[in-house]
Amino acid sequence: MTRRRHLPDDDDISAFRQALKAAGVRRIASNQADPGKPRRNDDAHHVRRQAAVEASTLTTSGRTSDGRVEAVRPSEYLEFSVADLPWRTFSQLKRGQTAWQAGLDLHGYTLEEARAELESFLRDATSQGLRCVLVVHGKAWGATADFPVLKSHTNAWLREWPGVLAFCSATELDGGTGAVYILLRKRGQ
């Protein structure tokens, strides 16, 4: 069923304008609100603002730490969930029954690049309202470490990220223990 919108004719528009004029309604002179207090123009305010802008552009890290992490084995199964996540939801994620909507492959990135990419990917996925994503971290040992560096750090970073409800190693079809499914918090949750 479609509803047609009634468009007013010239007589209706004219009558409406006359009623507004008779009621004393005037056009707004300015399209800006008056907050009622003067703007701050002191030098200290500008210095603080500039320092805040510079501090935000200098930081390379987001919400995840870059400290020491617990080493995990290449074939180790990863899993994590918040305490109040329903068992059935986590069980479906572990069986690969929750369809992932976007993926990120961290192969070839340095540790700092991988962290920045992961943080950006998680922010984008959350802003798009995605529920489940896949991140491929691989199982390769680091050049200077005797454990899989990206896998170990991804495990730690995801536990710290506030929008992550759960994650677990993927099924063999999606990368096995070299990838994780991540269940994201819904916006406003």
Side-chain angles (χ1 to χ4, degrees):
M1 177 175 152
T2 60
R3 295 181 69 160
R4 289 209 156 156
R5 187 173 166 193
H6 171 72
L7 297 175
D9 58 10
D10 289 338
D11 292 336
D12 290 340
I13 293 172
S14 178
F16 179 72
R17 287 187 177 147
Q18 287 176 354
L20 288 176
K21 189 174 186 179
V25 175
R26 296 177 291 130
R27 272 195 186 274
I28 297 175
S30 173
N31 196 17
Q32 288 186 335
D34 180 13
K37 59 182 181 180
R39 294 183 68 121
R40 294 176 68 174
N41 287 326
D42 60 339
D43 291 336
H45 172 73
H46 292 295
V47 169
R48 283 193 307 274
R49 182 180 257 308
Q50 187 61 30
V53 168
E54 288 173 5
S56 69
T57 57
L58 291 177
T59 52
T60 58
S61 166
R63 295 179 169 266
T64 57
S65 70
D66 59 353
R68 294 192 165 279
V69 298
E70 180 181 332
V72 295
R73 294 183 317 278
S75 60
E76 187 173 340
Y77 184 87
L78 302 179
E79 70 177 22
F80 164 83
S81 75
V82 295
D84 58 347
L85 185 72
W87 174 85
R88 183 176 182 178
T89 304
F90 191 45
S91 179
Q92 288 172 336
L93 183 70
K94 291 196 306 188
R95 289 193 306 264
Q97 294 176 335
T98 306
W100 53 276
Q101 300 152 301
L104 171 68
D105 189 351
L106 296 175
H107 284 104
Y109 288 110
T110 66
L111 189 60
E112 193 55 41
E113 290 169 344
R115 178 171 51 171
E117 283 295 316
L118 180 62
E119 289 176 355
S120 175
F121 177 69
L122 292 175
R123 272 198 281 308
D124 290 347
T126 302
S127 70
Q128 293 174 20
L130 302 183
R131 184 73 168 142
C132 183
V133 294
L134 176 78
V135 172
V136 179
H137 46 67
K139 302 189 266 186
W141 292 42
T144 59
D146 57 349
F147 61 93
V149 176
L150 283 180
K151 180 175 181 172
S152 299
H153 278 81
T154 301
N155 182 38
W157 294 334
L158 291 176
R159 291 171 190 269
E160 296 172 355
W161 195 262
V164 172
L165 290 175
F167 68 87
C168 64
S169 290
T171 61
E172 288 301 317
L173 182 65
D174 288 326
T177 56
V180 287
Y181 297 125
I182 305 169
L183 187 65
L184 298 172
R185 188 176 305 275
K186 291 179 185 174
R187 273 188 280 176
Q189 201 181 29

